[in-house]
Amino acid sequence: GAVVSQHPSRVICKSGTSVKIECRSLDFQATTMFWYRQFPKQSLMLMATSNEGSKATYEQGVEKDKFLINHASLTLSTLTVTSAHPEDSSFYICSARRFGLAGDTNTGELFFGEGSRLTVL
Amino acid sequence: SQELEQSPQSLIVQEGKNLTINCTSSKTLYGLYWYKQKYGEGLIFLMMLQKGGEEKSHEKITAKLDEKKQQSSLHITASQPSHAGIYLCGADITGTASKLTFGTGTRLQVTL
């Protein structure tokens, strides 16, 4: 079953409104989660790294005021697309790493959520 | 230029045939992940490789990471319609064991 869950899976909103997408790790704690964006028929591009209890780290070219990330707990990170415009329409996917029992940072599997498709009218 | 090259971009095979997808980087791959994605859906984790020369298999899918840790291949034996989808390789090329850089994906179709 899924170990990382995203909600909503699909959302349609009007231009100018804000949309929040949630990413939850279901049976493990994730101090770090990652948000990716995928355009049609293209690969995933990392947008930002969400850090529990601290500010997110954004990749170059990603507007932090546009894409607000909050990681308030060890199992939940949220991405809010503020003042959405049609060009923000995309598929947003989050991921979290589940470490092995030994806590070795190099052995954890990286799981992805089901994705959230945002359509801005 | 793409940091992670995936080939082929698309592939159509007849059911029962074998196929191989390649993922190549000019940088050391500290970790290499293979995922499958159906269009518009999330990624399904297939396998993770970390050590040079490592090979893992699950059901009819085998993934290998070369000794130099710059190339990985995904091999499907006796393909089935259920194998159809987009295969993505994601690599840790920074050594941070965290964020991944993805290849462009390979779209696989399996015909009857």
Side-chain angles (χ1 to χ4, degrees):
Chain A
V3 295
V4 176
S5 177
Q6 262 182 263
H7 178 80
S9 58
R10 295 177 184 273
V11 57
I12 301 173
C13 70
K14 293 182 179 179
S15 185
T17 60
S18 294
V19 175
K20 180 185 286 187
I21 301 169
E22 294 184 347
C23 179
R24 294 181 184 274
S25 56
L26 298 182
D27 60 357
F28 65 100
Q29 295 181 332
T31 55
T32 304
M33 292 185 178
F34 306 91
W35 287 96
Y36 292 82
R37 181 174 182 177
Q38 185 181 37
F39 291 101
K41 298 186 178 180
Q42 293 189 29
S43 191
L44 282 74
M45 297 297 293
L46 179 67
M47 297 175 64
T49 302
S50 173
N51 304 298
E52 188 269 334
S54 64
K55 292 182 179 180
T57 306
Y58 290 82
E59 295 299 301
Q60 191 173 13
V62 178
E63 299 176 62
K64 60 180 180 181
D65 295 329
K66 173 76 172 177
F67 299 99
L68 298 179
I69 291 173
N70 184 274
H71 196 149
S73 78
L74 288 171
T75 58
L76 174 66
S77 174
T78 60
L79 169 69
T80 301
V81 183
T82 63
S83 187
H85 288 93
E87 57 265 31
D88 298 324
S89 299
S90 192
F91 193 57
Y92 294 89
I93 306 178
C94 69
S95 71
R97 182 178 295 275
R98 185 177 69 183
F99 291 102
L101 293 177
D104 185 343
T105 59
N106 288 322
T107 61
E109 296 176 358
L110 198 59
F111 290 94
F112 283 78
E114 309 95 330
S116 300
R117 180 164 299 284
L118 170 64
T119 302
V120 184
L121 302 176
Chain B
S1 64
Q2 196 75 21
E3 289 183 302
L4 208 58
E5 295 285 344
Q6 213 174 314
S7 64
Q9 290 188 352
S10 64
L11 197 54
I12 302 174
V13 300
Q14 193 174 23
E15 184 178 5
K17 298 294 185 183
N18 302 334
L19 63 107
T20 301
I21 300 169
N22 294 300
C23 183
T24 304
S25 173
S26 57
K27 300 180 180 180
T28 298
L29 304 173
Y30 293 96
L32 192 287
Y33 298 74
W34 283 100
Y35 294 91
K36 179 184 176 184
Q37 182 185 31
K38 291 197 173 181
Y39 182 68
E41 299 182 14
L43 277 68
I44 300 169
F45 173 80
L46 296 176
M47 270 170 277
M48 176 181 72
L49 304 166
Q50 289 183 302
K51 299 176 182 177
E54 187 174 10
E55 179 176 320
K56 288 186 178 180
S57 293
H58 178 67
E59 297 181 343
K60 295 184 178 180
I61 300 176
T62 300
K64 300 178 184 179
L65 181 61
D66 74 337
E67 289 289 346
K68 290 185 178 180
K69 296 175 65 175
Q70 287 187 304
Q71 184 175 23
S72 179
S73 61
L74 185 80
H75 184 78
I76 298 177
T77 304
S79 59
Q80 299 171 349
S82 60
H83 288 129
I86 301 169
Y87 288 82
L88 288 159
C89 63
D92 172 11
I93 60 173
T94 63
T96 58
S98 54
K99 59 185 180 182
L100 300 183
T101 298
F102 281 88
T104 49
T106 296
R107 186 177 296 271
L108 172 65
Q109 290 179 256
V110 180
T111 61
L112 297 175

